[in-house]
Amino acid sequence: MKRQYYSDPFFDRAAQNRNVQIDISVTNVLIISLEQKFYFFLKKEKKELALFPIEIFDSLSMDVSFLGLSEEKNIWTAQLTKKDVENVSEVLGNGGFYDMRDLVDELTNEQGALLAYALGINKWNQISRFCGVCGSKTKSKENGHSRKCNNSKCSAIFYPQISPAIIVLIEYKAKEGESLCLLNKRKLNKGYMCSTFAGFVEIGESLEDAVVREMKEEVNVDVVNLRYVDSQPWSFSSSIMVGFVAEVEDMTFKVDGEEIKDAAWFSAKQIKELTSKNQLILSKPDSIARFLIETWVDNNLN
Ligand SMILES: [Zn+2]
């Protein structure tokens, strides 16, 4: 099966190095993201990932987090504020900050996965600077993979958290004729943007419970025959997307009018035709939503 964009199971996270002090005699390189954005520093011409020697940033107060090993390099990441960027602009040199989601076609899957991992770690460290128990400041531990409360009477330890979400392609299997899939539909200036349905898993729910509840809430359908398809790390919302296909036994639906404004049934042939004429735009190519739709279309074209 195709590996989802933003996942790279072959990257060596080298968790054994998370309790090791930074040794600057070893090759250490740094990936830089910008505060509160999906922006990473890339080389100007080729939009390739720019890697900096870690000791260059000694003068800054920011935390660096260890990501893992690649080609015998220790890969670290740090998130800069706009002020930091001004301070090290000479070091940064010829390049700029780019939104990683706009560069899906230019970055390899491995680079995309590394940036998404860096983004997730940087974001979590940034929003976890204060203790959720007593409100004191926290300190980075395990080279960025945990944080400990500075208050010795508390000393609470926190680990990175992700919020699982389900994403679902709803299908109607016709007894005769073509099967159909129900897609979320948003009007563009020209044509429509279509996607699958998704929602966060709530406390006390299984993934399957969340699929059934979300589909009832968003389009008022009762789904059956849930099948797990694949998952995708989604650092943009500190999440992991868990992809399902689910069936309905009748075609009636009603959008909630809030999260989902419009939806429609499509056959595989219609999706193929409309997308080829640019009358229908599918979710971005880096998303599992796109994968679910394209896989369903391929399986139902004949
Ligand atoms: Zn505390």
Side-chain angles (χ1 to χ4, degrees), residues 198-209:
F200 284 105
V201 180
E202 293 192 350
I203 292 173
E205 270 185 331
S206 69
L207 296 170
E208 293 79 2
D209 292 341

Side-chain angles (χ1 to χ4, degrees), residues 168-278:
V168 188
L169 183 133
I170 299 172
E171 72 174 339
Y172 175 73
K173 285 191 168 172
K175 289 188 180 70
E176 287 173 26
E178 292 175 308
S179 292
L180 301 171
C181 79
L182 185 63
L183 297 178
N184 173 7
K185 189 174 156 203
R186 196 158 53 83
K187 191 150 177 40
L188 302 173
N189 284 341
K190 196 183 155 210
Y192 290 92
M193 165 82 112
C194 278
S195 187
T196 47
F197 302 95
F200 284 105
V201 180
E202 293 192 350
I203 292 173
E205 270 185 331
S206 69
L207 296 170
E208 293 79 2
D209 292 341
V211 171
V212 171
R213 175 186 54 76
E214 282 284 345
M215 298 310 103
K216 188 76 182 171
E217 284 175 7
E218 292 189 353
V219 276
N220 196 27
V221 295
D222 296 308
V223 291
V224 292
N225 294 339
L226 279 54
R227 301 190 300 283
Y228 167 76
V229 180
D230 205 359
S231 67
Q232 180 181 41
W234 199 250
S235 293
F236 310 102
S237 51
S238 306
S239 183
I240 180 163
M241 308 299 290
V242 187
F244 286 87
V245 172
E247 291 174 32
V248 288
E249 284 165 346
D250 79 80
M251 287 172 58
T252 324
F253 70 90
K254 188 171 183 291
V255 295
D256 68 2
E258 288 181 18
E259 269 189 78
I260 308 297
K261 302 274 189 248
D262 196 8
W265 289 103
F266 294 90
S267 69
K269 215 193 276 174
Q270 279 175 319
I271 294 174
K272 196 90 185 164
E273 275 174 23
L274 292 169
T275 50
S276 71
K277 291 180 196 159
N278 277 333

Side-chain angles (χ1 to χ4, degrees), residues 130-138 149-151 153-156 158:
F130 295 93
C131 175
V133 180
C134 76
S136 303
K137 282 191 172 172
T138 60
C149 176
N150 280 343
N151 174 0
K153 289 188 183 137
C154 174
S155 298
F158 302 92

Side-chain angles (χ1 to χ4, degrees), residues 27 69-75:
T27 310
L69 291 168
S70 178
E71 295 169 0
E72 296 179 9
K73 290 190 187 84
N74 286 289
I75 314 268

